[in-house]
Amino acid sequence: MTDTTSRTRIFAIDALRVVLTALVVAHHAAITYGNIPLWFYTEPAKDPTGLLLDFFVMANQAFFMGFFFLISGFFTPGSHDRKGGRAFVRDRLIRLGIPLLVFLLVLRPMVNFGGHAGSGLPYGVYYFASWDPGPMWFVEVLIVFALAYAAWRTWRGPAPETTRTPAAPRLLWIVAYALGLAVATFLWRLLVPTGTYVPVVGLPSAQYMPQYVSMFVLGCLAYRRGWFEALPARAARLGFGTALVSTVALIPPALSTTGALSSALMTLWESVFAVSMIIGLTVSFRERRDRQGPRGRFLSEHAYTVYVIHPLVLVGLGWALRWLEAPAVVKFALLLATALPLCWWVAYLVRSLPHAKRVL
């Protein structure tokens, strides 16, 4: 692989990470004003535009965290190769564990005071009774995946040297994975139904665990086999087209039926939509984001910190906008337009603290 190809790949993935981080902020802004009360501060919608926010949350949830796990998996083998097992584990515990602890011990008490106000409990009791990592559940799970990968590499031994020419996965394999993921997710949800909450660990979307695990594994394989570089340019249009067609064809019957049929249709849509969107975005960014200027570098360098601190920004702005009477989608747009630049500005301030860049 040439240096130019390597830089292009990294620039494209950096841009994807920025977009996905912005989607996380948008996701929680939509929950703030929609009809899914799973956030530190919410104002349930009082008008039909809340349904638009709910659909955005549903579509977003179908693919964006799986995409994060795919990207994380993509960077894992190379990091382990360069650092070795012990240094890799130490680095993961520093880069992931410290922000997790900071969120739990410092940021979380600053964003969950709204729930405490109506609980009638002493704050210490409420704090532990409502123990939850919030959006840092992703980091929590990623620690487990990283440790599992390190253990597997210890058992397997050093990765073999390879000069394999990058080759795109065949269409049949992609279709088989999407269908297999749908079946695995359907069966998993017989044990872990949609809406299941795992206390203490705090997984808000445990029903998607087959997607998260398999995407992380696929990310590791994509790094070794050069799938990112090898997917043809036309795969972007095919991916986005398939995502659109699957939505039109599967969402109406999934929402108009009940029971096992509804669950089967929904898991099929989620799997096809996720695979299609991920392929479409990956190839589209690879083809169009082959360089990085100062602005792109700034956004990329601070994206992880934005992920960590964005609840503080959204909750603070939510309380500040509480007085405003407006349709749900209008408040969402105002919140998001204000929160995105503010998140990156706060992230810049945080990373300016001594030694912060070693972790963030």
Side-chain angles (χ1 to χ4, degrees):
M1 183 188 304
T2 66
D3 288 342
T4 300
T5 302
S6 178
R7 287 196 301 270
T8 299
R9 182 190 69 214
I10 298 302
F11 291 159
I13 294 179
D14 280 349
L16 280 168
R17 287 174 57 245
V18 170
V19 170
L20 288 174
T21 303
L23 279 178
V24 169
V25 179
H27 188 83
H28 292 137
I31 291 177
T32 299
Y33 298 117
N35 300 289
I36 307 173
L38 296 175
W39 188 236
F40 298 107
Y41 173 83
T42 59
E43 292 182 28
K46 299 177 182 178
D47 63 273
T49 64
L51 296 176
L52 296 176
L53 300 181
D54 296 342
F55 182 78
F56 169 74
V57 168
M58 181 180 71
N60 215 24
Q61 187 68 65
F63 82 96
F64 78 139
M65 295 311 297
F67 205 169
F68 263 125
F69 281 112
L70 181 78
I71 292 175
S72 299
F74 182 84
F75 284 110
T76 296
S79 179
H80 192 284
D81 292 348
R82 292 189 304 273
K83 300 171 183 175
R86 289 186 179 180
F88 170 80
V89 170
R90 183 172 60 250
D91 178 75
R92 292 297 84 192
L93 291 177
I94 291 173
R95 292 266 298 164
L96 301 175
I98 292 177
L100 175 60
L101 289 175
V102 169
F103 182 87
L104 288 170
L105 301 177
V106 179
L107 298 183
R108 183 172 167 269
M110 299 171 68
V111 297
N112 74 341
F113 61 86
H116 168 250
S119 68
L121 298 173
Y123 184 76
V125 175
Y126 174 78
Y127 177 81
F128 288 104
S130 62
W131 183 269
D132 184 304
M136 294 298 282
W137 69 266
F138 168 70
V139 172
E140 190 178 62
V141 173
L142 201 55
I143 291 174
V144 175
F145 287 0
L147 294 178
Y149 180 84
W152 178 76
R153 284 289 297 270
T154 299
W155 172 77
R156 182 179 180 274
E161 293 291 334
T162 179
T163 57
R164 180 185 306 186
T165 301
R170 296 178 181 177
L171 179 60
L172 180 62
W173 299 348
I174 296 173
V175 173
Y177 167 72
L179 295 178
L181 177 60
V183 172
T185 303
F186 176 81
L187 296 176
W188 172 255
R189 289 181 185 174
L190 296 178
L191 302 174
V192 185
T194 298
T196 298
Y197 175 78
V198 182
V200 182
V201 178
L203 296 182
S205 54
Q207 69 269 23
Y208 287 94
M209 195 55 65
Q211 183 191 108
Y212 299 158
V213 174
S214 61
M215 284 293 179
F216 182 83
V217 173
L218 285 178
C220 296
L221 293 174
Y223 174 82
R224 295 291 185 204
R225 302 185 181 188
W227 288 345
F228 184 91
E229 300 93 327
L231 283 167
R234 65 179 182 277
R237 293 192 301 273
L238 181 60
F240 291 136
T242 303
L244 177 61
V245 170
S246 66
T247 300
V248 173
L250 295 175
I251 285 295
L255 295 179
S256 60
T257 56
T258 59
L261 178 58
S262 177
S263 179
L265 290 170
M266 186 60 72
T267 54
L268 178 60
W269 170 74
E270 289 169 351
S271 300
V272 173
F273 184 81
V275 172
S276 302
M277 285 295 294
I278 288 172
I279 290 176
L281 287 169
T282 297
V283 176
S284 179
F285 273 67
R286 186 198 67 195
E287 295 298 306
R288 293 172 172 80
R289 301 293 179 181
D290 59 349
R291 58 181 57 86
Q292 185 181 72
R295 182 182 302 174
R297 183 165 57 251
F298 174 86
L299 294 174
S300 175
E301 288 175 348
H302 295 82
Y304 179 38
T305 310
V306 168
Y307 187 95
V308 177
I309 59 91
H310 81 275
L312 187 63
V313 174
L314 284 179
V315 171
L317 289 174
W319 281 98
L321 294 172
R322 189 177 180 87
W323 59 271
L324 179 63
E325 294 291 338
V329 72
V330 172
K331 295 196 73 170
F332 160 77
L334 180 59
L335 176 65
L336 185 61
T338 309
L340 284 176
L342 187 57
C343 279
W344 259 270
W345 180 70
V346 172
Y348 170 77
L349 296 179
V350 171
R351 292 187 79 243
S352 298
L353 296 173
H355 310 296
K357 291 181 181 179
R358 171 68 182 90
V359 178
L360 299 169

